[in-house]
Short mmCIF file of all heavy atoms in Angstrom, two decimals:
data_model
loop_
_atom_site.label_atom_id
_atom_site.label_comp_id
_atom_site.label_asym_id
_atom_site.label_seq_id
_atom_site.Cartn_x
_atom_site.Cartn_y
_atom_site.Cartn_z
N GLY A 31 8.46 14.27 9.28
CA GLY A 31 7.25 14.67 9.98
C GLY A 31 7.51 15.68 11.08
O GLY A 31 6.71 16.57 11.29
N GLN A 32 8.63 15.59 11.73
CA GLN A 32 8.89 16.49 12.84
C GLN A 32 9.50 17.80 12.37
O GLN A 32 8.98 18.87 12.66
CB GLN A 32 9.81 15.82 13.88
CG GLN A 32 9.33 14.45 14.36
CD GLN A 32 7.94 14.49 15.01
OE1 GLN A 32 6.99 15.03 14.44
NE2 GLN A 32 7.81 13.87 16.17
N LEU A 35 10.21 20.18 5.90
CA LEU A 35 9.42 21.23 5.26
C LEU A 35 8.63 20.66 4.08
O LEU A 35 7.98 21.40 3.36
CB LEU A 35 10.33 22.38 4.78
CG LEU A 35 10.69 23.45 5.81
CD1 LEU A 35 11.61 24.50 5.21
CD2 LEU A 35 9.44 24.13 6.35
N LEU A 36 8.69 19.35 3.90
CA LEU A 36 7.96 18.75 2.78
C LEU A 36 6.46 18.71 3.10
O LEU A 36 6.04 18.20 4.13
CB LEU A 36 8.47 17.34 2.50
CG LEU A 36 9.91 17.25 2.00
CD1 LEU A 36 10.28 15.80 1.70
CD2 LEU A 36 10.11 18.11 0.76
N LEU A 37 5.71 19.24 2.16
CA LEU A 37 4.27 19.39 2.37
C LEU A 37 3.60 18.08 2.76
O LEU A 37 2.84 18.01 3.71
CB LEU A 37 3.65 19.93 1.08
CG LEU A 37 2.14 20.16 1.08
CD1 LEU A 37 1.76 21.23 2.08
CD2 LEU A 37 1.67 20.54 -0.31
N GLN A 38 3.92 17.04 2.01
CA GLN A 38 3.23 15.77 2.23
C GLN A 38 3.66 15.08 3.52
O GLN A 38 3.02 14.12 3.95
CB GLN A 38 3.43 14.84 1.02
CG GLN A 38 3.05 15.45 -0.33
CD GLN A 38 1.57 15.86 -0.45
OE1 GLN A 38 0.73 15.34 0.26
NE2 GLN A 38 1.27 16.82 -1.33
N ASP A 39 4.73 15.56 4.15
CA ASP A 39 5.16 15.00 5.43
C ASP A 39 4.41 15.61 6.61
O ASP A 39 4.48 15.09 7.72
CB ASP A 39 6.66 15.25 5.65
CG ASP A 39 7.51 14.34 4.78
OD1 ASP A 39 6.98 13.36 4.24
OD2 ASP A 39 8.70 14.64 4.63
N CYS A 42 -0.04 18.54 9.80
CA CYS A 42 -1.01 19.64 9.72
C CYS A 42 -1.68 19.69 8.36
O CYS A 42 -2.87 19.99 8.25
CB CYS A 42 -0.33 20.97 10.03
SG CYS A 42 0.79 21.54 8.74
N PHE A 43 -0.95 19.35 7.32
CA PHE A 43 -1.55 19.35 5.99
C PHE A 43 -2.52 18.19 5.82
O PHE A 43 -3.61 18.34 5.26
CB PHE A 43 -0.49 19.30 4.89
CG PHE A 43 -1.08 19.13 3.52
CD1 PHE A 43 -1.85 20.14 2.96
CD2 PHE A 43 -0.91 17.95 2.82
CE1 PHE A 43 -2.42 19.98 1.70
CE2 PHE A 43 -1.49 17.78 1.57
CZ PHE A 43 -2.24 18.79 1.01
N TYR A 46 -5.64 19.25 7.51
CA TYR A 46 -6.32 20.29 6.72
C TYR A 46 -7.02 19.67 5.52
O TYR A 46 -8.21 19.92 5.26
CB TYR A 46 -5.24 21.28 6.30
CG TYR A 46 -5.57 22.33 5.28
CD1 TYR A 46 -6.29 23.48 5.64
CD2 TYR A 46 -5.10 22.24 3.98
CE1 TYR A 46 -6.53 24.48 4.70
CE2 TYR A 46 -5.33 23.23 3.05
CZ TYR A 46 -6.05 24.35 3.41
OH TYR A 46 -6.29 25.34 2.49
N ALA A 48 -7.85 16.46 5.03
CA ALA A 48 -8.89 15.50 5.42
C ALA A 48 -10.15 16.24 5.86
O ALA A 48 -11.26 15.86 5.47
CB ALA A 48 -8.38 14.61 6.55
N ARG A 50 -11.24 19.20 5.00
CA ARG A 50 -11.96 19.77 3.86
C ARG A 50 -12.60 18.69 3.00
O ARG A 50 -13.72 18.87 2.51
CB ARG A 50 -11.01 20.63 3.03
CG ARG A 50 -10.71 21.97 3.68
CD ARG A 50 -9.88 22.87 2.78
NE ARG A 50 -8.62 22.26 2.47
CZ ARG A 50 -8.27 21.81 1.26
NH1 ARG A 50 -9.11 21.94 0.25
NH2 ARG A 50 -7.09 21.27 1.07
N SER A 51 -11.91 17.58 2.84
CA SER A 51 -12.48 16.53 1.98
C SER A 51 -13.75 15.95 2.61
O SER A 51 -14.70 15.62 1.91
CB SER A 51 -11.44 15.44 1.71
OG SER A 51 -11.18 14.69 2.86
N VAL A 52 -13.76 15.86 3.93
CA VAL A 52 -14.95 15.33 4.60
C VAL A 52 -16.12 16.30 4.48
O VAL A 52 -17.24 15.90 4.16
CB VAL A 52 -14.65 15.01 6.08
CG1 VAL A 52 -15.93 14.74 6.85
CG2 VAL A 52 -13.73 13.81 6.18
N ARG A 55 -17.57 16.07 1.19
CA ARG A 55 -18.39 14.87 1.03
C ARG A 55 -19.77 15.06 1.65
O ARG A 55 -20.77 14.54 1.16
CB ARG A 55 -17.68 13.69 1.67
CG ARG A 55 -18.30 12.35 1.37
CD ARG A 55 -18.28 12.09 -0.13
NE ARG A 55 -18.19 10.69 -0.47
CZ ARG A 55 -19.18 9.82 -0.38
NH1 ARG A 55 -20.36 10.22 0.04
NH2 ARG A 55 -19.00 8.56 -0.70
N TYR A 56 -19.83 15.80 2.75
CA TYR A 56 -21.09 16.07 3.42
C TYR A 56 -22.00 16.97 2.58
O TYR A 56 -23.22 16.86 2.65
CB TYR A 56 -20.84 16.81 4.75
CG TYR A 56 -20.77 15.94 5.98
CD1 TYR A 56 -19.56 15.68 6.60
CD2 TYR A 56 -21.92 15.41 6.54
CE1 TYR A 56 -19.49 14.90 7.73
CE2 TYR A 56 -21.86 14.63 7.68
CZ TYR A 56 -20.65 14.38 8.27
OH TYR A 56 -20.57 13.61 9.41
N TYR A 67 -22.31 22.65 6.51
CA TYR A 67 -21.69 21.74 7.46
C TYR A 67 -21.62 22.33 8.88
O TYR A 67 -22.02 21.65 9.84
CB TYR A 67 -20.30 21.33 6.96
CG TYR A 67 -19.59 20.41 7.88
CD1 TYR A 67 -20.04 19.12 8.07
CD2 TYR A 67 -18.47 20.83 8.57
CE1 TYR A 67 -19.39 18.26 8.94
CE2 TYR A 67 -17.81 19.98 9.44
CZ TYR A 67 -18.27 18.70 9.62
OH TYR A 67 -17.63 17.87 10.48
N LEU A 71 -23.50 20.94 12.38
CA LEU A 71 -22.89 20.70 13.69
C LEU A 71 -23.67 21.41 14.79
O LEU A 71 -23.87 20.86 15.88
CB LEU A 71 -21.43 21.17 13.69
CG LEU A 71 -20.48 20.39 12.77
CD1 LEU A 71 -19.08 20.96 12.86
CD2 LEU A 71 -20.47 18.91 13.13
N LEU A 74 -26.73 19.37 15.39
CA LEU A 74 -26.36 18.19 16.17
C LEU A 74 -26.31 18.53 17.65
O LEU A 74 -26.86 17.81 18.49
CB LEU A 74 -24.98 17.68 15.74
CG LEU A 74 -24.86 16.73 14.56
CD1 LEU A 74 -23.45 16.18 14.49
CD2 LEU A 74 -25.86 15.60 14.67
N GLU A 78 -28.96 17.28 20.65
CA GLU A 78 -28.44 16.62 21.84
C GLU A 78 -28.94 17.32 23.10
O GLU A 78 -29.34 16.69 24.06
CB GLU A 78 -26.92 16.65 21.79
CG GLU A 78 -26.22 15.82 22.81
CD GLU A 78 -24.73 15.74 22.51
OE1 GLU A 78 -24.33 16.00 21.34
OE2 GLU A 78 -23.97 15.44 23.42
N ALA A 90 -19.02 24.15 23.14
CA ALA A 90 -19.14 22.78 22.64
C ALA A 90 -18.52 22.65 21.26
O ALA A 90 -17.87 21.66 20.96
CB ALA A 90 -20.61 22.38 22.60
N LEU A 91 -18.72 23.66 20.43
CA LEU A 91 -18.26 23.59 19.04
C LEU A 91 -16.89 24.22 18.86
O LEU A 91 -16.31 24.16 17.78
CB LEU A 91 -19.26 24.30 18.12
CG LEU A 91 -20.65 23.68 18.03
CD1 LEU A 91 -21.63 24.66 17.43
CD2 LEU A 91 -20.59 22.41 17.19
N ARG A 92 -16.40 24.89 19.91
CA ARG A 92 -15.14 25.62 19.82
C ARG A 92 -15.20 26.69 18.74
O ARG A 92 -14.30 26.80 17.91
CB ARG A 92 -13.98 24.65 19.55
CG ARG A 92 -13.79 23.61 20.63
CD ARG A 92 -12.68 22.65 20.32
NE ARG A 92 -12.28 21.90 21.51
CZ ARG A 92 -11.51 22.38 22.48
NH1 ARG A 92 -11.05 23.61 22.41
NH2 ARG A 92 -11.20 21.63 23.52
N LEU A 93 -16.29 27.43 18.76
CA LEU A 93 -16.45 28.53 17.79
C LEU A 93 -16.67 29.83 18.53
O LEU A 93 -17.28 29.86 19.60
CB LEU A 93 -17.65 28.26 16.87
CG LEU A 93 -17.48 27.16 15.83
CD1 LEU A 93 -18.79 26.89 15.11
CD2 LEU A 93 -16.39 27.54 14.84
N PRO A 142 -24.99 10.59 9.30
CA PRO A 142 -23.75 10.10 9.90
C PRO A 142 -23.39 8.71 9.41
O PRO A 142 -22.20 8.39 9.25
CB PRO A 142 -24.06 10.07 11.40
CG PRO A 142 -25.25 10.93 11.58
CD PRO A 142 -26.02 10.86 10.31
N ALA A 148 -18.49 6.32 4.06
CA ALA A 148 -17.61 6.97 3.08
C ALA A 148 -16.18 7.09 3.62
O ALA A 148 -15.22 6.94 2.87
CB ALA A 148 -18.14 8.36 2.73
N MET A 149 -16.08 7.34 4.92
CA MET A 149 -14.73 7.46 5.50
C MET A 149 -14.05 6.10 5.51
O MET A 149 -12.82 6.02 5.43
CB MET A 149 -14.82 8.06 6.90
CG MET A 149 -15.29 9.51 6.85
SD MET A 149 -14.82 10.50 8.27
CE MET A 149 -16.19 10.23 9.35
N GLY A 150 -14.81 5.05 5.63
CA GLY A 150 -14.30 3.71 5.42
C GLY A 150 -13.27 3.24 6.43
O GLY A 150 -12.39 2.46 6.10
N LYS A 160 -10.21 9.34 16.40
CA LYS A 160 -10.85 10.29 17.31
C LYS A 160 -9.94 10.57 18.51
O LYS A 160 -9.78 11.72 18.91
CB LYS A 160 -12.20 9.75 17.78
CG LYS A 160 -13.33 10.10 16.84
CD LYS A 160 -14.70 9.74 17.41
CE LYS A 160 -14.89 8.25 17.45
NZ LYS A 160 -16.32 7.87 17.45
N ARG A 164 -8.46 14.29 19.22
CA ARG A 164 -8.78 14.98 20.48
C ARG A 164 -7.51 15.31 21.23
O ARG A 164 -7.39 16.38 21.84
CB ARG A 164 -9.67 14.10 21.34
CG ARG A 164 -11.10 14.06 20.85
CD ARG A 164 -11.87 12.96 21.55
NE ARG A 164 -13.21 12.81 21.02
CZ ARG A 164 -13.93 11.71 21.13
NH1 ARG A 164 -13.43 10.66 21.74
NH2 ARG A 164 -15.14 11.65 20.61
N THR A 167 -5.99 18.35 19.61
CA THR A 167 -6.77 19.53 19.96
C THR A 167 -6.47 19.98 21.38
O THR A 167 -6.23 21.16 21.64
CB THR A 167 -8.27 19.24 19.81
OG1 THR A 167 -8.54 18.79 18.48
CG2 THR A 167 -9.10 20.49 20.10
N ASN A 169 -3.78 19.25 23.25
CA ASN A 169 -2.40 19.71 23.40
C ASN A 169 -2.21 21.10 22.80
O ASN A 169 -1.51 21.93 23.36
CB ASN A 169 -1.45 18.73 22.71
CG ASN A 169 -1.33 17.42 23.46
OD1 ASN A 169 -1.68 17.33 24.64
ND2 ASN A 169 -0.84 16.39 22.78
N VAL A 170 -2.83 21.32 21.67
CA VAL A 170 -2.59 22.57 20.94
C VAL A 170 -3.32 23.74 21.59
O VAL A 170 -2.80 24.85 21.62
CB VAL A 170 -3.03 22.39 19.46
CG1 VAL A 170 -3.35 23.71 18.83
CG2 VAL A 170 -1.93 21.69 18.69
N THR A 171 -4.50 23.48 22.13
CA THR A 171 -5.25 24.56 22.75
C THR A 171 -4.96 24.66 24.24
O THR A 171 -5.28 25.68 24.85
CB THR A 171 -6.77 24.37 22.57
OG1 THR A 171 -7.16 23.18 23.24
CG2 THR A 171 -7.13 24.26 21.11
N GLY B 10 -20.15 6.36 17.36
CA GLY B 10 -19.27 6.82 16.29
C GLY B 10 -19.82 6.53 14.92
O GLY B 10 -19.67 7.33 14.02
N GLN B 11 -20.44 5.41 14.76
CA GLN B 11 -20.91 5.05 13.42
C GLN B 11 -22.27 5.65 13.12
O GLN B 11 -22.44 6.33 12.13
CB GLN B 11 -20.96 3.52 13.28
CG GLN B 11 -19.66 2.80 13.61
CD GLN B 11 -18.46 3.24 12.79
OE1 GLN B 11 -18.19 4.42 12.61
NE2 GLN B 11 -17.71 2.27 12.28
N LEU B 14 -25.82 10.40 16.75
CA LEU B 14 -26.00 11.81 16.41
C LEU B 14 -25.34 12.70 17.46
O LEU B 14 -25.46 13.92 17.40
CB LEU B 14 -27.49 12.15 16.30
CG LEU B 14 -28.17 11.87 14.95
CD1 LEU B 14 -29.64 12.24 15.00
CD2 LEU B 14 -27.48 12.66 13.84
N LEU B 15 -24.64 12.10 18.42
CA LEU B 15 -24.00 12.90 19.45
C LEU B 15 -22.75 13.58 18.89
O LEU B 15 -21.87 12.93 18.32
CB LEU B 15 -23.61 12.03 20.64
CG LEU B 15 -24.79 11.43 21.43
CD1 LEU B 15 -24.28 10.65 22.63
CD2 LEU B 15 -25.74 12.53 21.87
N LEU B 16 -22.72 14.88 19.09
CA LEU B 16 -21.65 15.69 18.51
C LEU B 16 -20.27 15.16 18.85
O LEU B 16 -19.41 15.01 17.97
CB LEU B 16 -21.81 17.13 19.00
CG LEU B 16 -20.79 18.13 18.51
CD1 LEU B 16 -20.89 18.31 17.00
CD2 LEU B 16 -20.98 19.47 19.21
N GLN B 17 -20.08 14.88 20.13
CA GLN B 17 -18.74 14.50 20.58
C GLN B 17 -18.35 13.09 20.12
O GLN B 17 -17.20 12.69 20.23
CB GLN B 17 -18.62 14.62 22.10
CG GLN B 17 -19.02 15.98 22.66
CD GLN B 17 -18.16 17.14 22.14
OE1 GLN B 17 -17.04 16.94 21.71
NE2 GLN B 17 -18.70 18.37 22.17
N ASP B 18 -19.31 12.33 19.60
CA ASP B 18 -18.99 11.00 19.08
C ASP B 18 -18.51 11.04 17.64
O ASP B 18 -17.98 10.05 17.13
CB ASP B 18 -20.24 10.10 19.13
CG ASP B 18 -20.56 9.64 20.54
OD1 ASP B 18 -19.69 9.78 21.41
OD2 ASP B 18 -21.68 9.17 20.74
N CYS B 21 -16.04 13.30 12.37
CA CYS B 21 -15.99 14.50 11.53
C CYS B 21 -15.82 15.75 12.37
O CYS B 21 -15.12 16.67 11.98
CB CYS B 21 -17.23 14.58 10.66
SG CYS B 21 -18.74 15.01 11.56
N PHE B 22 -16.43 15.76 13.55
CA PHE B 22 -16.29 16.94 14.41
C PHE B 22 -14.89 17.01 15.02
O PHE B 22 -14.29 18.09 15.09
CB PHE B 22 -17.34 16.94 15.53
CG PHE B 22 -17.12 18.03 16.53
CD1 PHE B 22 -17.28 19.36 16.16
CD2 PHE B 22 -16.71 17.74 17.82
CE1 PHE B 22 -17.05 20.39 17.08
CE2 PHE B 22 -16.47 18.76 18.73
CZ PHE B 22 -16.64 20.08 18.36
N LEU B 24 -12.28 16.01 13.69
CA LEU B 24 -11.43 16.43 12.58
C LEU B 24 -11.51 17.94 12.38
O LEU B 24 -10.50 18.64 12.27
CB LEU B 24 -11.95 15.71 11.33
CG LEU B 24 -11.08 15.55 10.10
CD1 LEU B 24 -9.71 15.06 10.48
CD2 LEU B 24 -11.77 14.58 9.15
N TYR B 25 -12.74 18.41 12.34
CA TYR B 25 -13.03 19.83 12.15
C TYR B 25 -12.41 20.66 13.27
O TYR B 25 -11.71 21.65 13.01
CB TYR B 25 -14.56 19.96 12.11
CG TYR B 25 -15.17 21.32 12.16
CD1 TYR B 25 -15.21 22.14 11.03
CD2 TYR B 25 -15.79 21.77 13.33
CE1 TYR B 25 -15.84 23.37 11.08
CE2 TYR B 25 -16.43 23.00 13.38
CZ TYR B 25 -16.45 23.80 12.25
OH TYR B 25 -17.07 25.01 12.29
N ALA B 27 -9.99 19.79 15.39
CA ALA B 27 -8.53 19.66 15.43
C ALA B 27 -7.89 20.53 14.35
O ALA B 27 -6.90 21.23 14.61
CB ALA B 27 -8.11 18.21 15.24
N ARG B 29 -9.03 23.25 12.92
CA ARG B 29 -9.09 24.66 13.26
C ARG B 29 -8.17 25.01 14.41
O ARG B 29 -7.53 26.06 14.42
CB ARG B 29 -10.52 25.07 13.59
CG ARG B 29 -11.41 25.17 12.36
CD ARG B 29 -12.78 25.69 12.70
NE ARG B 29 -13.47 24.83 13.63
CZ ARG B 29 -13.75 25.13 14.89
NH1 ARG B 29 -13.40 26.31 15.37
NH2 ARG B 29 -14.36 24.28 15.66
N SER B 30 -8.05 24.12 15.40
CA SER B 30 -7.19 24.44 16.54
C SER B 30 -5.73 24.51 16.12
O SER B 30 -4.97 25.33 16.62
CB SER B 30 -7.40 23.42 17.66
OG SER B 30 -6.86 22.17 17.31
N VAL B 31 -5.35 23.66 15.17
CA VAL B 31 -3.97 23.69 14.71
C VAL B 31 -3.68 24.97 13.91
O VAL B 31 -2.66 25.62 14.13
CB VAL B 31 -3.65 22.44 13.86
CG1 VAL B 31 -2.32 22.60 13.13
CG2 VAL B 31 -3.62 21.21 14.74
N ARG B 34 -3.21 27.73 16.21
CA ARG B 34 -1.92 27.69 16.86
C ARG B 34 -0.82 28.22 15.95
O ARG B 34 0.14 28.84 16.39
CB ARG B 34 -1.61 26.25 17.27
CG ARG B 34 -0.39 26.10 18.15
CD ARG B 34 -0.61 26.83 19.46
NE ARG B 34 0.10 26.23 20.60
CZ ARG B 34 1.40 26.39 20.83
NH1 ARG B 34 2.12 27.11 20.01
NH2 ARG B 34 1.95 25.82 21.87
N TYR B 35 -0.95 27.98 14.64
CA TYR B 35 0.02 28.46 13.67
C TYR B 35 -0.01 29.99 13.54
O TYR B 35 1.00 30.62 13.25
CB TYR B 35 -0.29 27.88 12.28
CG TYR B 35 0.47 26.64 11.90
CD1 TYR B 35 -0.14 25.40 11.89
CD2 TYR B 35 1.81 26.72 11.52
CE1 TYR B 35 0.55 24.26 11.53
CE2 TYR B 35 2.51 25.58 11.16
CZ TYR B 35 1.87 24.35 11.16
OH TYR B 35 2.56 23.23 10.80
N TYR B 46 -2.22 30.73 7.04
CA TYR B 46 -1.93 29.31 7.01
C TYR B 46 -2.00 28.71 5.60
O TYR B 46 -1.06 28.01 5.19
CB TYR B 46 -2.87 28.59 7.98
CG TYR B 46 -2.65 27.11 8.03
CD1 TYR B 46 -1.50 26.58 8.56
CD2 TYR B 46 -3.60 26.24 7.51
CE1 TYR B 46 -1.29 25.23 8.59
CE2 TYR B 46 -3.40 24.88 7.54
CZ TYR B 46 -2.25 24.37 8.07
OH TYR B 46 -2.05 23.03 8.08
N LEU B 50 1.09 26.98 3.36
CA LEU B 50 1.08 25.70 2.66
C LEU B 50 1.51 25.86 1.21
O LEU B 50 2.24 25.03 0.67
CB LEU B 50 -0.32 25.07 2.73
CG LEU B 50 -0.79 24.65 4.12
CD1 LEU B 50 -2.20 24.06 4.04
CD2 LEU B 50 0.17 23.66 4.76
N LEU B 53 5.21 26.26 1.26
CA LEU B 53 5.83 24.94 1.48
C LEU B 53 5.93 24.19 0.17
O LEU B 53 6.99 23.62 -0.16
CB LEU B 53 4.97 24.11 2.45
CG LEU B 53 5.15 24.26 3.95
CD1 LEU B 53 4.37 23.18 4.67
CD2 LEU B 53 6.62 24.19 4.32
N GLU B 57 9.43 23.30 -1.98
CA GLU B 57 9.70 21.92 -2.35
C GLU B 57 9.96 21.80 -3.85
O GLU B 57 10.87 21.11 -4.29
CB GLU B 57 8.50 21.07 -1.96
CG GLU B 57 8.68 19.58 -2.08
CD GLU B 57 7.52 18.85 -1.42
OE1 GLU B 57 6.81 19.46 -0.59
OE2 GLU B 57 7.34 17.67 -1.74
N ALA B 69 -1.69 19.41 -5.66
CA ALA B 69 -0.90 19.09 -4.47
C ALA B 69 -1.63 19.48 -3.19
O ALA B 69 -1.61 18.76 -2.20
CB ALA B 69 0.45 19.77 -4.54
N LEU B 70 -2.27 20.65 -3.23
CA LEU B 70 -2.91 21.17 -2.03
C LEU B 70 -4.37 20.79 -1.95
O LEU B 70 -5.03 21.06 -0.94
CB LEU B 70 -2.79 22.70 -2.01
CG LEU B 70 -1.38 23.26 -1.90
CD1 LEU B 70 -1.35 24.73 -2.28
CD2 LEU B 70 -0.87 23.08 -0.48
N ARG B 71 -4.89 20.20 -3.02
CA ARG B 71 -6.32 19.88 -3.09
C ARG B 71 -7.17 21.13 -2.96
O ARG B 71 -8.14 21.15 -2.19
CB ARG B 71 -6.71 18.86 -2.02
CG ARG B 71 -5.95 17.55 -2.16
CD ARG B 71 -6.32 16.56 -1.08
NE ARG B 71 -5.85 15.22 -1.40
CZ ARG B 71 -6.46 14.41 -2.25
NH1 ARG B 71 -7.57 14.80 -2.87
NH2 ARG B 71 -5.97 13.21 -2.51
N LEU B 72 -6.80 22.15 -3.67
CA LEU B 72 -7.55 23.41 -3.64
C LEU B 72 -8.00 23.77 -5.05
O LEU B 72 -7.29 23.51 -6.03
CB LEU B 72 -6.69 24.54 -3.08
CG LEU B 72 -6.42 24.52 -1.58
CD1 LEU B 72 -5.42 25.60 -1.19
CD2 LEU B 72 -7.72 24.67 -0.79
N PRO B 121 7.69 24.35 11.63
CA PRO B 121 7.18 22.98 11.78
C PRO B 121 7.62 22.34 13.08
O PRO B 121 6.87 21.56 13.67
CB PRO B 121 7.78 22.23 10.57
CG PRO B 121 8.23 23.29 9.63
CD PRO B 121 8.56 24.48 10.45
N ALA B 127 4.01 21.44 19.75
CA ALA B 127 2.72 21.83 20.30
C ALA B 127 1.69 20.71 20.16
O ALA B 127 0.85 20.51 21.04
CB ALA B 127 2.21 23.10 19.61
N MET B 128 1.75 19.98 19.05
CA MET B 128 0.79 18.90 18.87
C MET B 128 1.08 17.77 19.84
O MET B 128 0.17 17.05 20.26
CB MET B 128 0.83 18.41 17.43
CG MET B 128 0.32 19.48 16.46
SD MET B 128 -0.29 18.86 14.89
CE MET B 128 1.20 18.88 13.91
N GLY B 129 2.32 17.61 20.20
CA GLY B 129 2.68 16.73 21.30
C GLY B 129 2.43 15.26 21.07
O GLY B 129 2.16 14.53 22.02
N LYS B 139 -1.21 10.53 10.57
CA LYS B 139 -1.07 10.86 9.16
C LYS B 139 -1.64 9.75 8.29
O LYS B 139 -2.34 10.00 7.31
CB LYS B 139 0.41 11.10 8.81
CG LYS B 139 0.84 12.54 9.02
CD LYS B 139 2.24 12.81 8.51
CE LYS B 139 3.28 12.09 9.34
NZ LYS B 139 4.60 12.72 9.22
N ARG B 143 -4.83 10.36 5.84
CA ARG B 143 -4.69 10.15 4.40
C ARG B 143 -5.69 9.10 3.92
O ARG B 143 -6.26 9.22 2.84
CB ARG B 143 -3.27 9.70 4.07
CG ARG B 143 -2.28 10.83 4.12
CD ARG B 143 -0.86 10.28 4.05
NE ARG B 143 0.13 11.33 4.25
CZ ARG B 143 1.35 11.12 4.69
NH1 ARG B 143 1.73 9.89 4.98
NH2 ARG B 143 2.19 12.13 4.83
N THR B 146 -9.03 10.77 3.67
CA THR B 146 -9.06 11.65 2.50
C THR B 146 -9.21 10.84 1.22
O THR B 146 -10.03 11.15 0.35
CB THR B 146 -7.76 12.48 2.43
OG1 THR B 146 -7.62 13.21 3.64
CG2 THR B 146 -7.81 13.46 1.26
N ASN B 148 -10.39 7.71 0.89
CA ASN B 148 -11.69 7.03 0.82
C ASN B 148 -12.81 8.00 0.47
O ASN B 148 -13.69 7.67 -0.31
CB ASN B 148 -12.01 6.37 2.16
CG ASN B 148 -11.14 5.17 2.43
OD1 ASN B 148 -10.53 4.62 1.51
ND2 ASN B 148 -11.05 4.76 3.68
N VAL B 149 -12.73 9.18 1.05
CA VAL B 149 -13.82 10.13 0.91
C VAL B 149 -13.81 10.78 -0.49
O VAL B 149 -14.86 11.05 -1.07
CB VAL B 149 -13.74 11.19 2.02
CG1 VAL B 149 -14.44 12.47 1.62
CG2 VAL B 149 -14.35 10.65 3.29
N THR B 150 -12.62 11.03 -1.00
CA THR B 150 -12.53 11.66 -2.32
C THR B 150 -12.43 10.63 -3.43
O THR B 150 -12.63 10.98 -4.59
CB THR B 150 -11.30 12.59 -2.42
OG1 THR B 150 -10.12 11.79 -2.28
CG2 THR B 150 -11.33 13.63 -1.33
#
Side-chain angles (χ1 to χ4, degrees):
Chain A
Q32 307 301 50
L35 275 179
L36 294 183
L37 180 64
Q38 306 299 337
D39 286 345
C42 71
F43 173 67
Y46 169 79
R50 285 186 299 111
S51 70
V52 168
R55 190 61 150 76
Y56 265 106
Y67 180 68
L71 294 179
L74 275 190
E78 190 170 340
L91 295 164
R92 299 178 165 282
L93 288 173
M149 293 204 270
K160 273 188 290 203
R164 284 168 185 158
T167 304
N169 289 343
V170 156
T171 63
Chain B
Q11 306 302 47
L14 275 179
L15 293 184
L16 180 65
Q17 306 299 337
D18 285 345
C21 72
F22 173 67
L24 200 47
Y25 169 78
R29 286 185 299 110
S30 71
V31 168
R34 189 63 150 78
Y35 264 106
Y46 180 68
L50 294 179
L53 275 190
E57 189 169 341
L70 295 164
R71 300 179 166 281
L72 287 173
M128 293 203 270
K139 272 187 292 202
R143 284 169 186 156
T146 303
N148 289 342
V149 157
T150 63

